[in-house]
Amino acid sequence: MDLFTSLAQKITGKNQTIVLPEGTEPRIVGAAARLAHDGLVKPIVIGATDKVQAVAKDLNADLTGVQILDPVTYPEADKQAMLDALVERRKGKNTPEQAAKMLEDENYFGTMLVYMGKADGMVSGAVHATGDTVRPALQIIKTKPGSHRISGAFIMQKGDERYVFADCAINIDPDADTLAEIATQSAHTAKIFDIDPKVAMLSFSTKGSAKGDMVTKVQEATKKAQAAAPELAIDGEMQFDAAFVEKVGLQKAPGSKVAGHANVFVFPELQSGNIGYKIAQRFGKFEAVGPILQGLNKPVSDLSRGCSEEDVYKVSIITAAQALAQD
């Protein structure tokens, strides 16, 4: 079954609410209208009502089922409750005056809706840089218990093939502890997308075939991940061919439950992860869905500023599925 058909079936009727802060952007408004029409999520679009409606009129988009929230006209009692919650959450790092200024930013406003339980997740980034989306999430929603960092995964799909690549978006040069977290986070993400995770910790070495600090880091990360989640199939260090090709896996890593059968690939640093997913996308003709932010208490997704309406639609479905998995 197609990935998004499967996810749509999971979230239909679950009334997951997704906030879209960039409410005057046509791609956002178009996607929100489609999501509401298809009955997949309950979209909240943030922006001045007249401006959002003007965009919808230009698109000939029906906003039935789409809630529009204007921070300027937001009820004073609700606005005060949000301000108080933000000041408390920041634990003295921001004054009430500073917090009020922060809430003028639609990403902070949207993140607070998620934090306060008025929305199940947020999708932003069509007109904002990654930092503008991720910073409020880290400051307010923060990481899950037991997690110390977030990471970014891509679902790579083509036909019946479906894989997870991580980290391809966030951590530039992760240490062994971070790599171990990325491995367990990515396994959890795989399950959301009906992938039975077999996690390969990638390297230019397979089971000691090469030496060096970069190899040692992956070896240590593998041991940490295995200790943290003994129920998961995680193995390394291994080269991509050993992880992916059964014949090579049997030769290079005999006895491994992952070698030759991996479907979750953890790259040793961001450079190789970013290059790797783009090679698969361009040479292998895989669809790259993401980045999917992993490790947050509640899901917040970061769009590319070059995204299409279809991308917004699909990422919203993913975010709803993440929220459902966390309930």
Side-chain angles (χ1 to χ4, degrees):
M1 185 182 296
D2 173 77
L3 172 63
F4 289 97
T5 302
S6 173
L7 292 178
Q9 289 182 355
K10 284 184 179 183
I11 66 175
T12 298
K14 302 298 184 181
N15 295 318
Q16 295 293 293
T17 302
I18 300 299
V19 59
L20 300 155
E22 301 160 318
T24 56
E25 165 56 46
R27 294 166 292 171
I28 297 295
V29 175
R34 287 177 57 195
L35 289 162
H37 176 268
D38 294 345
L40 296 176
V41 303
K42 296 165 66 177
I44 299 175
V45 169
I46 296 176
T49 302
D50 58 342
K51 292 182 179 179
V52 175
Q53 290 174 340
V55 172
K57 184 178 180 180
D58 288 341
L59 295 172
N60 196 27
D62 182 1
L63 293 182
T64 302
V66 177
Q67 183 180 6
I68 303 172
L69 283 185
D70 183 351
V72 176
T73 61
Y74 198 56
E76 284 302 320
D78 293 338
K79 192 179 294 186
Q80 187 62 49
M82 182 181 285
L83 177 61
D84 292 343
L86 178 55
V87 171
E88 190 280 329
R89 187 60 165 168
R90 294 296 291 150
K91 300 187 184 300
K93 294 179 181 177
N94 295 108
T95 66
E97 292 75 19
Q98 289 171 331
K101 188 69 176 175
M102 290 162 71
L103 290 174
E104 294 177 7
D105 182 300
E106 55 263 40
N107 279 314
Y108 275 96
F109 190 89
T111 302
M112 283 303 297
L113 291 176
V114 178
Y115 173 66
M116 298 177 73
K118 297 179 183 294
D120 296 297
M122 186 176 90
V123 175
S124 187
V127 295
H128 287 91
T130 293
D132 295 329
T133 300
V134 173
R135 190 179 306 107
L138 287 175
Q139 291 176 345
I140 298 167
I141 293 173
K142 302 188 179 181
T143 55
K144 294 178 183 177
S147 289
H148 301 90
R149 303 158 188 85
I150 64 169
S151 59
F154 279 83
I155 304 298
M156 310 298 295
Q157 72 159 3
K158 182 174 70 173
D160 294 333
E161 295 180 84
R162 198 177 298 173
Y163 308 103
V164 177
F165 283 17
D167 180 352
C168 304
I170 302 293
N171 297 283
I172 294 175
D173 188 16
D175 59 16
D177 288 322
T178 303
L179 273 182
E181 276 197 37
I182 293 168
T184 54
Q185 289 172 353
S186 301
H188 177 72
T189 295
K191 292 178 181 179
I192 296 173
F193 298 99
D194 297 324
I195 300 170
D196 180 20
K198 295 176 178 61
V199 184
M201 308 295 284
L202 296 179
S203 173
F204 61 87
S205 167
T206 300
K207 299 295 184 179
S209 64
K211 306 294 182 184
D213 292 342
M214 289 183 287
V215 175
T216 301
K217 178 179 78 169
V218 179
Q219 291 170 338
E220 291 176 355
T222 301
K223 292 175 183 176
K224 289 175 182 287
Q226 290 169 337
E231 75 282 3
L232 294 174
I234 301 174
D235 202 5
E237 88 290 5
M238 62 181 68
Q239 294 156 287
F240 185 84
D241 57 350
F244 191 65
V245 182
E246 185 173 13
K247 183 177 179 180
V248 179
L250 287 170
Q251 180 183 11
K252 292 189 173 184
S256 171
K257 295 179 180 179
V258 173
H261 304 283
N263 49 27
V264 178
F265 301 94
V266 177
F267 292 84
E269 31 67 35
L270 182 60
Q271 182 168 244
S272 58
N274 187 273
I275 292 168
Y277 99 79
K278 289 183 177 179
I279 288 175
Q281 181 185 36
R282 302 299 178 177
F283 280 7
K285 306 301 181 185
F286 276 80
E287 180 183 7
V289 181
I292 299 161
L293 297 186
Q294 307 178 136
L296 287 167
N297 257 322
K298 294 184 178 182
V300 171
S301 296
D302 176 39
L303 298 162
S304 163
R305 279 175 283 180
C307 68
S308 64
E309 179 186 303
E310 181 71 9
D311 293 330
V312 180
Y313 180 85
K314 288 181 174 180
V315 172
S316 298
I317 291 172
I318 289 171
T319 307
Q322 285 182 287
L324 197 61
Q326 291 182 342
D327 287 346

